[in-house]
Amino acid sequence: MDLQLDQLRALHAAVTEGTFDAAAKRLQVTPSAISQRIKALEDAAGRVLLQRTKPVRATESGLAVLRLARQVELLAGDTARELGAAHSPIRLPIAVNADSLETWVLPALAAAPAGICFEIHREDEEHTTRLLRDGTVMAAITSTSTPVQGCKVERLGAMRYRPMAEPCFARTWFGNGATAAAYAVAPVVLFDRKDDLQDRHLRRRSRQMLDPPRHYVPSSTGFAEALRLGLGWGMLPDLQSANLRDTELVAIDGDAFIDVPLYWQQWRLDSPALSSVAAAIADAAAESLR
């Protein structure tokens, strides 16, 4: 296949921006030029690469070519910087779980070299590998130690979570202890419907499936605030609860905790930009995680 650089850039821009018009604006060409380049790319590949929907979406074949396009763009950016084009930014899409994003990841990214523009996709750590697999991101913080095809993996450590609640809530619902009977009726706060952490703790404590009243609060900061306001109990990372006073939140189940292991997965590319970000993430994790 004879895949041209301008064709790959057109594909990448179209998927990233969502429309041919937006892709044309980003690349400073006409929408017709974007359409022609993508059509030529599809002819070269012998496959339909894009679904012409709003927003446009890559087909299964398109995802394979999209990964190549993003790899080429990253390496081209590295080369431009090596040749002295310091003004040439490098766009680096990464996937990060909400709790890491709200606690230790942003300071780590701030320590990365200047000139890297981050596109952060917030996703549960158990689902970030999907974004790696389909080429949406080049690196991800994940709970999966098995590397995605074409990626390498490094263990970062673990985030420790404890069942926490507002003191009055704890006295009302767990006055006689954190028993299975109490857990069965006490309201609980979850991040979203993918969040299994609270149910993991319930299964450990009761050895059965419990279905207490549930609140869903899809924000890491909002989740902690929901606990502080007494909406329910929930599994809060030590990195967040350390900033709260005992009068705001208390542990409701002694020393019970769950450690969630975290790993850094990234594409196997000889990219100085990607390597520098990986190093910054590893240094921050060494200071923040267990």
Side-chain angles (χ1 to χ4, degrees), residues 131-151:
L131 300 178
L132 271 174
R133 193 172 292 109
D134 66 21
T136 299
V137 300
M138 299 176 184
I141 293 175
T142 175
S143 61
T144 303
S145 60
T146 303
V148 172
Q149 184 176 3
C151 294

Side-chain angles (χ1 to χ4, degrees), residues 16-271:
T16 301
E17 302 298 332
T19 66
F20 284 10
D21 286 345
K25 184 176 180 180
R26 172 177 161 183
L27 298 182
Q28 298 183 328
V29 298
T30 65
S32 177
I34 295 292
S35 180
Q36 290 171 11
R37 292 175 186 181
I38 291 176
K39 181 61 169 63
L41 185 61
E42 290 178 324
D43 289 343
R47 306 282 182 88
V48 174
L49 303 179
L50 282 185
Q51 298 175 0
R52 271 66 168 180
T53 55
K54 288 189 177 182
V56 298
R57 300 183 183 277
T59 64
E60 185 174 351
S61 298
L63 289 175
V65 181
L66 181 62
R67 284 194 295 271
L68 172 63
R70 287 183 166 145
Q71 291 170 358
V72 169
E73 181 167 298
L74 176 61
L75 295 177
D78 282 328
T79 302
R81 291 168 64 84
E82 187 176 346
L83 294 176
H87 63 281
S88 178
I90 296 175
R91 180 178 296 190
L92 193 61
I94 62 175
V96 181
N97 62 301
D99 289 337
S100 292
L101 184 61
E102 291 285 344
T103 51
W104 64 275
V105 164
L106 285 181
L109 298 182
I116 300 176
C117 295
F118 296 102
E119 180 182 342
I120 299 176
H121 296 254
R122 190 195 70 188
E123 182 57 274
D124 184 87
E125 65 273 5
E126 295 183 1
H127 299 272
T128 50
T129 51
R130 174 182 58 81
L131 300 178
L132 271 174
R133 193 172 292 109
D134 66 21
T136 299
V137 300
M138 299 176 184
I141 293 175
T142 175
S143 61
T144 303
S145 60
T146 303
V148 172
Q149 184 176 3
C151 294
K152 58 183 178 181
V153 60
E154 177 182 355
R155 192 177 193 278
L156 296 174
M159 290 192 75
R160 176 161 291 181
Y161 291 76
R162 302 178 193 273
M164 306 289 290
E166 186 270 334
C168 183
F169 179 96
R171 289 192 296 271
T172 299
W173 294 96
F174 297 99
N176 294 324
T179 63
Y183 275 122
V185 295
V188 60
V189 180
L190 292 85
F191 185 85
D192 57 23
R193 294 185 185 277
K194 297 178 184 177
D195 180 9
D196 185 50
L197 204 54
Q198 284 69 217
D199 284 312
R200 284 170 59 185
H201 179 70
L202 289 173
R203 289 193 294 270
R204 285 186 178 185
R205 298 297 285 121
S206 68
R207 306 296 179 182
Q208 56 184 311
M209 296 295 293
L210 300 178
D211 189 24
R214 297 165 184 256
H215 302 286
Y216 295 93
V217 183
S219 159
S220 186
T221 301
F223 183 97
E225 182 68 1
L227 301 188
R228 193 185 69 81
L229 293 172
L231 267 70
W233 69 272
M235 303 296 291
L236 197 68
D238 285 356
L239 289 175
Q240 280 185 292
S241 59
N243 298 324
L244 298 170
R245 300 184 301 273
D246 289 343
T247 55
E248 295 178 291
L249 288 178
V250 295
I252 61 173
D253 204 343
D255 292 329
F257 64 85
I258 293 178
D259 280 345
V260 176
L262 296 178
Y263 301 86
W264 175 257
Q265 291 209 36
Q266 70 176 59
W267 290 356
R268 289 187 178 275
L269 284 178
D270 186 15
S271 163

